[in-house]
Amino acid sequence: MITEYDDPQRGREFAERTREFLDEVVVPKERSLAGGADVSRGTIRELRDAAREYGVYAPQIAEAHGGQGLTFREALPVFEVAGRSLLGPLALRVDAPDEGNMHTLELAGDDLQKERYLEPLVEGKMRSAFAMTEPRPGAGSDPKMIRTSARRDGDEWVIDGHKWWTTQGVEADVFIVLARSDPDAHPYEGCSLFLVDAETPGVEVVRNIPHMGGGPTGKSHAEVRFEGVRVPDEHLLGEEGEGFTIAQLRLGPARLTHCLRFSGVAERSLDVARAYLSEREAFGSRLADKQGNRFALVDAATRLHAARTMVRHAADLIDAGEEARVEVSMAKTYTAAVVQDAVDVAVQACGGSGIGKDLPLSDFYESVRPFRIVDGADEVHKRVVARELFADPPVDELEPLPTYREPGDAGR
Ligand SMILES: Cc1cc2nc3c(=O)[nH]c(=O)nc-3n(C[C@H](O)[C@H](O)[C@H](O)COP(=O)(O)OP(=O)(O)OC[C@H]3O[C@@H](n4cnc5c(N)ncnc54)[C@H](O)[C@@H]3O)c2cc1C
């Protein structure tokens, strides 16, 4: 279903070209892999070469670093189209977590870091991971609880800690690690980001945590230990003590790009459902002619439209230089629920075929569920919104309830 949004013209044209690429190259490849094993490195290389030929590779990266140079706002509809296949983001090099990590390097990296990490990442010669979450008693939803430490020793840093749910941690060549570099500072000010090469002594990938979702793209979510890991001062990413500020600059836009990739998943699910309902008959008519089925898809499409509009609103605020934390949290929570609902509606519409692997829906179904937890659980985002909603005036200073009648008032 096509809904027009007020996206910049260049972004729309680029998204159109990306859609052709998806339809002509990516979806046929997805079909050839149907329900099979994980995508090989060779297949990813092949898809990326094809994306380069179409001129759609790395749309969000500056031309100077090997991308197409779209602005954040221009790139958004492209992320959405890429999400129509689980292979799309991989092919275009807009896949998480590399996309967010490349963005972080573009924002906070110095020239040497950009040359050493950003450019090989853009080319697809390197893979990266962002290591923030820790097992108990470390930081999960509450980042103030970060226990991984970074201690300065001469012109080196020594990192000790335990991370998990580090996406792509098994395959990564480099980790961006959030560690506490000043134990005496305010919890939000004492953390820094470090670039840690995977082969550095003391880095131990404990395991790929068995998990739901991911489909054929097969990225790991790893548990990783850092024990006496020494990195030179040049591996500090951004300023010392700026870890949370930079992480926030990464996470705000990355949450929105995540929303749009998943909106693409939801949109394609509804397309699949419409096709199925149009071909299949039961009880004397096509399933697509039954109002109940139509309304289920209409409700899902309406909510999806609202989610996509919210994401663009938050993106416009970020583009205008605002942090937009509340709007990002609202958009993220709402989109995560809506895409899950849309895929569920599509699975139901397709009956047994919705569960089978001849259609992409079961992989989509597993892929969308984690989004209510990844990038901040629903409740954490609601906490952000609640703080704002109950801030002004503070609860203690609220006017009395403006009721028309008090308890005990007689009559009408
Ligand atoms: C597939 C996947 C990929 C991930 N990739 C990465 C990655 O690349 N890098 C990284 O650093 N992390 C990653 N994570 C970790 C992710 O960010 C965390 O799982 C998430 O922030 C929640 O933290 P937690 O798992 O420790 O949950 P906990 O903090 O243990 O919270 C458990 C549950 O408690 C509830 N809860 C939390 N706070 C509140 C509150 N204030 N009020 C009410 N209820 C609350 C929520 O329902 C939450 O789901 C990934 C996770 C998954 C599942």
Side-chain angles (χ1 to χ4, degrees), residues 324-340:
R325 283 191 81 156
V326 168
E327 290 79 4
V328 169
S329 285
M330 285 177 164
K332 195 274 179 182
T333 317
Y334 190 69
T335 305
V338 159
V339 297
Q340 198 184 314

Side-chain angles (χ1 to χ4, degrees), residues 212-226:
M212 146 195 341
T217 60
K219 290 199 178 185
S220 64
H221 301 294
E223 180 181 344
V224 190
R225 280 189 189 281
F226 298 86

